[in-house]
Amino acid sequence: MTRAAAWAGRAAAPMVAVTLVLAVVAAALAGCGASPTKLGPSGIDELTIPTPSPDPADFTGRAINPWFPLEAGTRWTYRQETSAASRTVVAEVLPHEMEIAGVATTPVRWQVRTQGSLRTAMVRWYAVDRDGNVWWFGQRVDPHAPTLDPLATASFQAGRDGAQAGLILSAVPRDGDGYLNARQPHVVERRSTVLSLTGSVVTPTQKFRDVVVTHDLSALDPLHTVQSYFARGIGLVAQQDAASVSTSLALLGVRRG
């Protein structure tokens, strides 16, 4: 992976007060109206995000990101609430790897329970570099399945047709860091800004404290934003779609591989 300066600044974001389906509590997540202020150096400043030419050597080793663990066989069960339906969503880390742009990536399959059976809505491919940063190398989306990520609805694969891998979470999340999750012209341009390292969120089964909260958006749909909540040792525990007060995703349980 080419090392260079990354886009990493304290981005101004709207004040957050989510008390909807998830009963989210997040304290002082961001200020309003201020210009971005420069942050001190960290690992993210040494990365090219997104990366046009990932170096497979950067992805050797057994580093684990505690906010986004990818142990084979891990299975997360969520409840997705929308204005039209309430459904069960299951994400599972698959055991086989897939090589993308020369890098061995880990697939995570997302399925939706429909009429008693699970239907695959998408498969996403991630890779963890030696420092523990989690990169997103692409996805295969079933266009006929329910939408699980409104900010990235199309299939893409890093290294093809101009698609580039981006960052999902850094090894050491830092308040104010912003980075592209993935980029392909007219297909995906999703990005995240870290709003808080000490957020909290209540799901139907548990209250999580000291979660990493990110503000996610897409340049292809700039008025549509999502907040994501990551708990240490578990991963994604909740999401709230700010464009629709009735759309959310909440963790019901996790089973280790």
Side-chain angles (χ1 to χ4, degrees), residues 119-190:
R119 172 179 179 177
T120 298
M122 65 182 181
V123 177
R124 287 184 160 175
W125 299 289
Y126 302 102
V128 184
D129 67 23
R130 289 178 297 181
D131 296 323
N133 304 302
V134 181
W135 296 78
W136 185 21
F137 275 74
Q139 64 181 13
R140 183 179 66 247
V141 176
D142 181 350
H144 304 294
T147 299
L148 297 181
D149 184 350
L151 303 180
T153 59
S155 300
F156 72 94
Q157 193 173 124
R160 292 185 179 178
D161 302 318
Q164 298 178 8
L167 194 69
I168 290 294
L169 273 180
S170 61
V172 183
R174 185 179 61 173
D175 186 15
D177 271 346
Y179 40 80
L180 279 160
N181 307 136
R183 175 192 284 161
Q184 182 178 348
H186 312 297
V187 176
V188 60
E189 191 161 343
R190 194 184 192 282

Side-chain angles (χ1 to χ4, degrees), residues 50-137:
T51 177
S53 54
D55 184 351
D58 287 330
F59 294 89
T60 59
R62 297 184 177 275
I64 297 174
N65 187 309
W67 307 103
F68 207 100
L70 290 169
E71 180 185 1
T74 301
R75 182 183 174 103
W76 300 267
T77 300
Y78 300 92
R79 172 65 63 184
Q80 184 187 46
E81 302 284 351
T82 73
S83 58
S86 175
R87 58 176 67 94
T88 299
V89 176
V90 177
E92 183 175 5
V93 182
L94 301 181
H96 57 274
E97 294 181 336
M98 177 171 174
E99 185 173 304
I100 298 177
V103 174
T105 68
T106 298
V108 177
R109 180 180 61 199
W110 289 77
Q111 296 180 297
V112 176
R113 188 173 298 282
T114 304
Q115 297 179 345
S117 61
L118 289 173
R119 172 179 179 177
T120 298
M122 65 182 181
V123 177
R124 287 184 160 175
W125 299 289
Y126 302 102
V128 184
D129 67 23
R130 289 178 297 181
D131 296 323
N133 304 302
V134 181
W135 296 78
W136 185 21
F137 275 74

Side-chain angles (χ1 to χ4, degrees), residues 19-40:
T19 55
L20 303 174
V21 177
L22 302 177
V24 171
V25 181
L29 296 183
C32 299
S35 299
T37 56
K38 189 169 182 175
L39 299 176

Side-chain angles (χ1 to χ4, degrees), residues 9-19 22-34 37 39 174-178 192-202 208-216 225-230 238-240 242:
R10 185 178 299 280
M15 186 67 71
V16 179
V18 182
T19 55
L22 302 177
V24 171
V25 181
L29 296 183
C32 299
T37 56
L39 299 176
R174 185 179 61 173
D175 186 15
D177 271 346
S192 296
T193 300
V194 178
L195 294 186
S196 177
L197 307 178
T198 57
S200 61
V201 60
V202 179
F208 298 93
R209 294 182 172 86
D210 295 325
V211 301
V212 174
V213 186
T214 64
H215 179 76
D216 313 320
T225 62
V226 172
Q227 280 189 190
S228 301
Y229 301 81
F230 299 90
Q239 282 186 323
Q240 179 66 52

